[in-house]
Amino acid sequence: AVSRMDSLASVNFITRQKLTEVYELSSLYSSNPNDSLLREILYPQMQSYFLKNDSVEIQAILSELDSLRVHFVEIGNLRLNKKDSLRPDSVKLVDYSVRYFSQDKKLIDSLQKTAQYILKKEPKKFKHEFIFYFNDLSTPQVENDTISSGVTQ
C-alpha cells in the first residue's frame, strides 16, 4: 500500500505541474497577441501537452482566457479520483480549481474544473518511463453522478 500512495502522490505532483504549465503557457500566449514570434514558439509547446496535438482543446482554453482578459493563472485544490487506475494508458480524472488574474494581478474569476489525462508508457531512457497527456481540460464538474430511479413513496 505504501508504494501505491507514493505513486498517487507522484501523479498528483505531476498533474499539478502539468496543469500549471499548460495554463501558464496559454495565458502567456493569450496576453501577447501582437508578438508573433513568441506565439510561434508557444503554440507547439501547448500542443505537446495533448495526446493528439489537439488544437480544439487549445482554442477552448485560449478563448476562455481571451474573453476574461487573463494574464496570470493559479491552479489549486487538486483532487485525483481515487478509483482511477494507476495503470498506464488509462484515462484518469482530476478535479481542480483555476483562478484567473488580470494584468494588475486582481482576481477575475475562480472556477472548479475537471480534466481528463492519460499516462502513456513510452520508455525512451528508462524501463518505467511515462509521458503525461491531457485528453480534455474543458470537462465540466459533475455535481451528482447518481440517477434517481423515479420511484417515490
Side-chain angles (χ1 to χ4, degrees):
V2 172
S3 67
R4 181 170 172 78
M5 287 307 292
D6 289 345
S7 296
L8 200 58
S10 296
V11 170
N12 195 15
F13 177 80
I14 293 167
T15 304
R16 176 187 297 275
Q17 182 181 347
K18 296 296 183 182
L19 276 169
T20 300
E21 288 170 6
V22 77
Y23 273 99
E24 284 179 349
L25 287 170
S26 300
S27 66
L28 189 58
Y29 182 94
S30 177
S31 61
N32 288 286
N34 299 323
D35 191 335
S36 59
L37 183 61
L38 179 69
R39 289 169 73 108
E40 247 177 71
I41 293 167
L42 291 176
Y43 202 82
Q45 278 186 296
M46 291 183 313
Q47 280 186 310
S48 72
Y49 286 85
F50 296 92
L51 188 57
K52 49 192 182 298
N53 286 340
D54 193 349
S55 62
V56 173
E57 280 299 314
I58 294 169
Q59 289 307 318
I61 297 169
L62 293 175
S63 294
E64 185 176 37
L65 296 175
D66 283 342
S67 69
L68 295 170
R69 294 194 173 102
V70 172
H71 282 260
F72 304 99
V73 291
E74 184 180 287
I75 302 297
N77 302 324
L78 250 73
R79 280 191 334 275
L80 298 176
N81 187 336
K82 289 186 177 27
K83 294 177 189 161
D84 280 351
S85 167
L86 288 177
R87 285 196 319 250
D89 296 356
S90 58
V91 175
K92 297 155 192 47
L93 295 174
V94 59
D95 295 330
Y96 64 100
S97 65
V98 60
R99 294 171 47 143
Y100 300 113
F101 296 92
S102 64
Q103 191 168 6
D104 55 2
K105 298 196 177 169
K106 287 194 171 108
L107 181 65
I108 297 170
D109 202 355
S110 184
L111 298 173
Q112 291 299 120
K113 294 193 166 219
T114 300
Q116 288 181 11
Y117 64 96
I118 299 170
L119 292 174
K120 299 247 345 138
K121 192 168 185 173
E122 293 187 17
K124 291 189 168 99
K125 293 181 185 170
F126 306 103
K127 186 178 176 188
H128 296 291
E129 189 171 355
F130 292 90
I131 304 221
F132 186 103
Y133 295 104
F134 286 109
N135 200 29
D136 183 3
L137 283 178
S138 58
T139 307
Q141 267 198 0
V142 178
E143 292 300 319
N144 187 350
D145 62 355
T146 58
I147 299 170
S148 77
S149 64
V151 178
T152 56
Q153 300 264 336

